[in-house]
């Protein structure tokens, strides 16, 4: 069929008024299908052949757009063909084929998609003037074709040049088809009742085709406006702005508006960008990152972007309203990522742009964010919420932001010059700087875990060097403005020494103690990393030097040495190369060896470092947390967290993630903790609650305890396991118990306040508070420090325990009767009547058969760390002794002290408890003050007397290999 005859056939729409709606739709689809075939064959295909292989970029762009238009036209033809076939089946088999089978009714999504693609393809060609370009290349051919089109396409306007004719031929048939579909569908609806299964499908089809009409009209207007804009712009601006992806929505030349402070000459609103023209400069703003706010008056509104704050002022309130509405609608459309349908502003809710968005943006303005790309959540033109910030030099920050600054938890990576090495900061931030708790790994050299303030290490923190470092060290203590200041402990592995004391500006300064690997201890005053003035030196054999020292802590100048034998040497000391230590002074050999109890009193650090102020950097964050009302969102920043190491991050290839041990909502968990705390107020229930809380790594009390354990281990393990630090350690444990009790009381007050209840007033009586601490908190806290603390007691009482052990060994040679006799136990108290002897045994030779229940009970004293429980077992031991004696006498009998002590001495000797001296002194130091001068105190004194009797009685250590009673008389 020729072009002229084909056009004559399909451009004259048949009369459909006398047909049924379905027949009319069939004829309409048949005619539109033929027209689409004609358009493809006689317009689009020839257009593609005008310049099939263009060399210029402009020609290549035109060819791509025409190819896209041709594909979308073919899809539209295919859809129309399927619609026609479904109508034919319906008319041929009306009883078996329902209305639901019609493509016009049942394929709404596909109809919408195909029509939108065709409209988009066509309007893109209009924007970049594709039809003008191809019309120029073969003008005579298209003039002939245009005369034929004008002759046969009645109802289609062909006014203007050839390119306009081509444009009309490509879009007006579609517009007419949509226009005629609506009344036919309305007629179809009229034949149905509302209860008909296809009623809703027909209604949806009517709405869809009506909306497609509106959408087509809007797209044609926007494409025409964008095309016209190109005529008013310079070539470079035209190429930049009039692209297939852009549609002009508003122009300040139509409705005037003035932008400040940029003083733009022209303001253009496209469907994806807001453009300000200022001479040759173009300021373009992505609409996804544009926030619109009311202005200061009726003619002004504000536009916020990541790097600019603009004020747009119209001539009147009406102009302002038009611009503000258009910008807001365009922003909503840009955020949804697709065009509003059927018209701008008629998209899905919300109609107003959301305040919070997630978009990627690269900063251009000079400053710390220059050329950095942020991807994440925004609010009012600022990064706000979770996001990732990446710089071209490889720096990365992922975490939380607030109003454009890092705020909350975040991970910051800074690459080093060495390949695959970087600094990794996993910490909390406040207004762009590290603040609160953090973990920082400086390349592969050092790791810091502690607190920050204003981006600097400040407060408590631990700095660890890598094991392979040239000078490996570990510092645990306080920091101020990125320098070690205040109380802290540093271990120098190379020198084999540990410093415990005060620091200032990264140097040892103030009172301090040095403990060496050789067991030698120093105490004195340091200044600029050097001991100055008088100090003391304690050797492992309890020799004592009091005097001045050189820089390397060698005795130098005037001093006095008191040897472990009691001899003294007083004079002037010095050292030199190859000469060792030399002195000039007086040696006194007349003194007797000192008593071990006097050497035990040589405790270092006690009084030099007030226990209340040693670990303020650990206590204060918890106090700040309580004063702030225990907000869950600050729990990690103030109390710490656990995170993956940099090595784990690298292995998992998740450089910018941090899997912490507490993924749940911190605020909700804190609320639960405070609620639970109010349920346990009675002493027994409170003890159970505190035990559970202290064991939990997620409870604030448990977190505080673990940090205190870290400081205790850093001080008193390894090199710090020195007997001269026992006094320092035991008062520290008591102070930790007091602080943990105060922490519990703080949490309790917050819990009461949240429930609107009056806070409880704590007693101002120090003795009462100490009783609460020793009665409730200390027994629960002590197990966490017991291993290190008891080691110090073992070392301190090692000499006495060795003598005691020797005495126990000698006493074990005695049979029971001889030992009872030796200990002056009255014979009528000897429990011999129940002894079961074999035929060849004599009672005088039986061993380890008397007071067995009391012995077993006393042996259990080492099975617990709680001083209260140890005292309870001691009390039970005495009761068992009295019960055995009562059984022997056949009546209830209360033993006086003169009778109890020898029997207890027997039980102690047979229980063979190792390190009993260390046990007794630990119980004495950690005992609840409420038991002072009471029964427990009396029994502990009795046990202590037995212990001292065994290790002090020289006769017991000089017994022969076999006992001989006559030699003891």
């Amino acid at each position: 069929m020729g072009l002229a005859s084909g056009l004559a056939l399909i451009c004259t729409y048949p009369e459909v008024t006398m047909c049924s709606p379905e027949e009319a739709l069939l004829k309409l689809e048949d005619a539109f299908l033929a027209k689409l075939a004609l358009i493809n064959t006689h317009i689009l295909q020839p257009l593609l052949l005008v310049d099939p292989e263009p060399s210029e970029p402009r020609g290549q762009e035109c060819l791509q757009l025409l190819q896209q238009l041709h594909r979308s036209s073919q899809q539209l033809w295919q859809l129309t063909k399927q619609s026609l076939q479904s109508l034919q089946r319906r008319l041929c088999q009306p009883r078996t084929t329902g209305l639901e089978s019609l493509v016009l009714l049942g394929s709404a999504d596909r109809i919408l998609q195909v029509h939108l693609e065709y409209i988009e393809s066509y309007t893109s060609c209009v924007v970049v003037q594709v039809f003008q370009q191809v019309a120029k290349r073969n003008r005579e051919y298209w003039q002939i074709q245009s005369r034929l089109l004008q002759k046969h396409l009645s109802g289609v306007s062909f006014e203007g040049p050839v390119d306009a004719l081509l444009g009309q031929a490509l879009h007006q048939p579609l517009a007419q088809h949509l226009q005629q579909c609506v009344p036919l569908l309305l007629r179809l609806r009229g034949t149905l009742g509302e209860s008909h299964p296809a009623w809703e499908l027909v209604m949806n089809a009517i709405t869809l085709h009506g909306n497609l009409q509106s959408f087509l009209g809007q797209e044609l207007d926007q494409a025409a406006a964008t095309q016209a804009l190109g005529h008013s712009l310079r070539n470079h601006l035209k190429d930049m702005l009039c692209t297939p992806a852009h549609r002009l929505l508003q122009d300040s030349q139509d409705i005037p508006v003035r932008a400040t402070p940029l003083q733009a000459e022209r303001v253009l609103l496209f469907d994806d960008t807001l453009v300000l023209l200022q001479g040759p400069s173009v300021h373009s703003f992505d609409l996804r990152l544009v926030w619109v706010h009311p202005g200061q008056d009726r003619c002004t509104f504000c536009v916020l972007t990541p790097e600019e704050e603009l004020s747009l002022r119209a001539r009147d309130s009406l102009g302002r309203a038009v611009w503000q509405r258009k910008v807001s609608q365009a922003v909503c459309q840009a955020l949804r990522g697709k065009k509003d349908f059927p018209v701008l502003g008629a998209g899905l809710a919300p109609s107003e742009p959301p305040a919070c968005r997630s978009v990627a943006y690269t900063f251009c303005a000079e400053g710390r964010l220059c050329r950095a790309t942020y991807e994440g959540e925004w609010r009012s033109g600022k990064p706000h919420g979770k996001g990732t910030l990446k710089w071209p030099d490889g720096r990365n920050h992922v975490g939380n932001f607030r109003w454009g600054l890092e705020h909350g938890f975040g991970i910051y990576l800074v690459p080093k010059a060495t390949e695959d090495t970087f600094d990794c900061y996993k910490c909390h931030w406040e207004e762009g700087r590290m603040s609160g708790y953090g973990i920082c790994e400086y390349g592969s050299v050092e790791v810091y875990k502690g607190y920050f303030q204003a981006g600097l290490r400040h407060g408590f923190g631990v700095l660890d060097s890598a094991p392979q470092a040239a000078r490996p060290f570990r510092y645990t203590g306080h920091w101020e403005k990125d320098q070690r200041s205040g109380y802290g402990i540093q271990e120098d592995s190379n020198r084999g020494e540990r410093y415990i004391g005060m620091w200032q500006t990264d140097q040892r300064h103030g009172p301090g103690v040095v403990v060496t690997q050789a067991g030698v201890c120093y105490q004195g005053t340091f200044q600029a990393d050097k001991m100055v003035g008088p100090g003391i030196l304690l050797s492992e054999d309890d020799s004592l030097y009091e005097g001045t020292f050189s820089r390397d802590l060698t005795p130098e100048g005037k001093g006095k040495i008191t040897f472990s034998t009691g001899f003294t040497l007083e004079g002037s000391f010095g050292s030199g190369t190859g000469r060792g230590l030399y002195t000039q002074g007086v040696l006194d050999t007349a003194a007797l060896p000192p008593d071990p109890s006097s050497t035990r009193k040589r405790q270092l650090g006690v009084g030099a470092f007030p226990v209340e102020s040693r670990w303020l950097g650990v206590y204060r964050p918890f106090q700040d947390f309580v004063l702030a009302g225990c907000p869950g969102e600050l729990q990690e920043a103030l109390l710490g967290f656990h995170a993956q190491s940099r090595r784990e991050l690298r292995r998992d290839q998740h450089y910018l993630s941090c899997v912490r041990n507490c993924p749940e909502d911190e605020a909700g968990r804190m609320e639960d903790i405070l609620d639970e705390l109010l349920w346990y107020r009675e002493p027994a229930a409170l003890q159970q609650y505190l035990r559970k809380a202290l064991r939990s790594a997620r409870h604030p009390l448990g977190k505080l305890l673990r940090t205190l354990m870290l400081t205790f281990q850093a001080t008193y393990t390894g090199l710090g396991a020195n007997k001269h630090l026992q006094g320092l350690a035991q008062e520290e444990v008591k102070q930790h118990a007091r602080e943990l009790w105060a922490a519990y009381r703080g949490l309790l007050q917050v819990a009461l306040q949240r429930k609107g209840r009056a806070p409880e007033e704590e007693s101002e009586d120090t003795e009462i508070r100490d009783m609460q601490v020793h009665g409730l908190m200390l027994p629960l806290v002590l197990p966490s420090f017991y291993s290190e603390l008891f080691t110090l007691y073992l070392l301190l009482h090692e000499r006495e325990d060795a003598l005691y052990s020797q005495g126990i060994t000698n006493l074990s040679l005695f049979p029971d009767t001889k030992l009872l006799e030796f200990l002056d136990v009255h014979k009528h108290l000897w429990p011999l009547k129940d002894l079961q002897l074999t035929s060849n045994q004599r009672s005088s030779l039986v061993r380890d058969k008397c007071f067995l229940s009391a012995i077993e009970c006393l042996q259990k004293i080492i099975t617990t760390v709680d001083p209260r429980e140890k005292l309870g077992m001691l009390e039970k031991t005495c009761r068992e002794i009295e019960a055995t004696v009562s059984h022997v006498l056949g009546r209830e009998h209360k033993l006086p002290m003169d009778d109890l002590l020898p029997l207890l001495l027997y039980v102690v000797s047979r229980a063979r408890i190792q390190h009993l001296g260390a046990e007794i002194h630990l119980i004495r130091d950690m005992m609840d003050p409420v038991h002072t001068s009471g029964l427990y105190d009396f029994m502990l004194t009795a046990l202590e007397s037995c212990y001292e009797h065994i290790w002090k009685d020289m006769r017991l250590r000089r017994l022969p290999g076999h006992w001989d009673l006559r030699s003891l008389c």
Side-chain angles (χ1 to χ4, degrees), residues 900-948:
L900 177 61
L901 196 57
L903 290 172
L904 182 60
L905 185 55
Y906 170 85
V907 171
V908 170
S909 66
R910 287 300 193 232
R912 301 180 180 88
I913 299 174
Q914 291 186 339
H915 315 299
L916 183 59
E919 291 280 1
I920 291 172
H921 286 88
L922 188 144
I923 296 171
R924 175 70 70 187
D925 291 340
M926 296 296 166
M927 186 173 66
D928 191 340
V930 74
H931 300 307
T932 303
S933 302
L935 177 61
Y936 281 169
D937 193 4
F938 168 77
M939 292 180 177
L940 184 60
T941 301
L943 180 63
E944 194 169 8
S945 298
C946 295
Y947 170 76
E948 290 184 0

Side-chain angles (χ1 to χ4, degrees), residues 678-854:
L678 294 175
W679 300 342
Y680 303 95
R681 306 293 299 281
E682 296 301 322
L686 177 57
Q687 187 179 40
Q688 290 295 107
Y689 173 80
L690 290 175
R691 179 178 287 109
K692 177 182 176 183
L694 292 170
R695 289 176 178 174
S696 172
R698 297 186 177 184
H699 196 285
L701 292 177
K703 288 186 177 183
L704 178 57
L705 176 60
R706 276 156 180 75
T707 305
L708 296 174
M709 290 169 59
L710 183 149
T711 64
F712 199 79
Q713 292 165 0
T715 311
Y716 304 111
T717 59
L719 295 177
N722 189 289
K723 62 184 178 181
H724 300 299
L725 300 179
Q726 177 269 338
L728 204 66
Q730 66 97 356
E731 67 176 10
E732 202 166 288
V733 172
K734 293 179 181 179
Q735 180 63 21
H736 291 340
R738 285 190 286 269
E739 292 292 342
L740 285 163
W741 176 255
Y744 158 73
R745 294 288 302 176
L747 292 175
L748 177 62
Q749 303 304 337
V750 173
L752 291 171
Q753 290 173 2
R754 288 196 179 190
K755 296 299 181 182
R757 294 157 63 177
E760 290 185 356
E761 294 185 7
E762 190 170 13
S763 173
E764 297 181 1
D765 191 330
T766 305
E767 292 185 5
I768 295 178
R769 281 204 302 269
D770 284 346
M771 288 171 59
Q772 292 172 330
V773 170
H774 283 81
L776 271 174
M777 188 60 74
L778 184 58
L780 300 175
V781 170
L782 187 57
S784 300
F785 306 101
Y786 190 82
S787 176
E788 297 82 6
L789 183 62
F790 190 65
T791 299
L792 298 178
Y793 276 89
L794 289 178
L795 296 172
L796 184 61
H797 300 280
E798 184 177 18
R799 183 177 175 186
E800 303 97 294
D801 277 339
L803 297 174
Y804 155 79
S805 180
Q806 184 180 345
I808 290 295
T809 301
N810 290 332
L811 289 176
S812 66
L813 300 175
F814 284 91
D816 288 345
T817 56
K818 296 303 180 182
L819 181 57
L820 290 169
E821 181 181 357
F822 176 72
L823 298 176
D824 295 328
V825 177
H826 297 302
K827 287 189 176 182
H828 70 283
L829 301 179
W830 293 9
L832 301 177
K833 67 177 184 178
D834 292 334
L835 290 180
Q836 296 180 358
L837 304 175
T838 61
S839 58
N840 59 348
Q841 279 186 319
R842 291 186 300 169
S843 61
S844 61
L845 298 177
V846 171
R847 187 177 299 164
D848 296 330
K849 295 296 184 181
C850 297
F851 296 100
L852 292 180
S853 61

